Amino acid sequence: LVFLQNGFLEDYLESKGLADNTQALIYFAVSKKGETPIDGITDLSPDGLTVTTGKWGDVVAERIQACGMKCGVVDAATYRKAMFEKLMWICAFMLVGTVNGGITVGEVVGKKTEEVVDLILEMGDAITESTGVEFDDRCAARLCSYAQAVAHFPTAIKEFEWRNGFFWDLSEEAEDEELPDPCPTHTAYCNQGVVEDLFSF
């Protein structure tokens, strides 16, 4: 059993006794059925960003590599950090793009660079405070570089529970404990999206 993810599945997998199952973090995009996948190779990540971990990690990597794409096999701790980076990417770029008129990922990184970088940094700090996982100084640059590789990709808020819901829950927990919101920008964008009927959750 292999889980391919684009969100936060950690708590769910643990609740089902599946935390040690093979997982893969996908950094390639397919515009539509039948088209050649676009691999997440960038100047900052020449070996690609797709990684897998667990019992069948080598087999998963071999199959992805057989399609001409990059895939690394990593330990659980390295995978967890990579998972949170991908979570920040999908949440930050989709949210900034959606509240700015549904612009593409490329337009977000090109026209709303400061907004999306600030949000990534905010999310990274919140994750570190919550889980202890730390990110290096090039994290935001890596994620922006990947956005340029899939610049055509549209933005939309989907699967809120598994994606942005992670950060929303951190904010709600802080509010319940009468602590400062660890993700105030994320909270503001989410509220804006609901008020403007751009998405619901």
Side-chain angles (χ1 to χ4, degrees):
L1 190 59
V2 179
F3 291 92
L4 309 180
Q5 69 185 84
N6 212 7
F8 181 74
L9 302 182
E10 192 171 88
D11 291 346
Y12 174 80
L13 294 177
E14 287 180 356
S15 73
K16 303 298 181 183
L18 299 172
D20 294 329
N21 275 64
T22 302
Q23 299 176 59
L25 200 61
I26 305 303
Y27 269 96
F28 51 80
V30 181
S31 298
K32 60 182 178 180
K33 185 177 180 180
E35 291 204 355
T36 302
I38 300 170
D39 203 352
I41 298 173
T42 71
D43 290 341
L44 294 181
S45 305
D47 293 326
L49 292 163
T50 298
V51 292
T52 184
T53 192
K55 180 179 180 180
W56 302 108
D58 289 329
V59 176
V60 172
E62 287 171 5
R63 294 191 178 187
I64 292 174
Q65 292 162 1
C67 296
M69 293 181 291
K70 304 280 189 178
C71 182
V73 181
V74 299
D75 59 36
T78 302
Y79 181 87
R80 190 175 192 230
K81 178 181 176 181
M83 176 272 293
F84 278 123
E85 283 200 16
K86 184 62 184 294
L87 181 67
M88 287 190 282
W89 185 87
I90 197 77
C91 292
F93 276 88
M94 295 301 113
L95 189 54
V96 171
T98 298
V99 300
N100 281 287
I103 58 178
T104 65
V105 165
E107 289 173 314
V108 171
V109 75
K111 299 178 180 179
K112 302 294 179 181
T113 311
E114 186 175 351
E115 280 186 51
V116 76
V117 168
D118 285 348
L119 184 54
I120 289 168
L121 295 176
E122 176 181 286
M123 290 173 164
D125 288 344
I127 290 170
T128 299
E129 183 179 346
S130 173
T131 69
V133 174
E134 297 183 346
F135 306 94
D136 60 61
D137 294 338
R138 302 187 77 189
C139 175
R142 246 190 328 271
L143 299 182
C144 286
S145 184
Y146 173 64
Q148 292 170 333
V150 292
H152 68 286
F153 211 70
T155 58
I157 297 299
K158 301 177 180 179
E159 302 176 358
F160 190 92
E161 176 186 0
W162 306 104
R163 298 180 183 183
N164 294 79
F166 174 84
F167 299 102
W168 183 263
D169 288 346
L170 290 181
S171 297
E172 286 203 321
E173 289 168 9
E175 182 179 8
D176 289 343
E177 297 176 13
E178 299 183 349
L179 296 173
D181 187 347
C183 307
T185 307
H186 179 267
T187 300
Y189 282 152
C190 286
N191 287 331
Q192 178 185 340
V194 171
V195 170
E196 295 179 4
D197 201 26
L198 301 175
F199 54 85
S200 60
F201 56 89

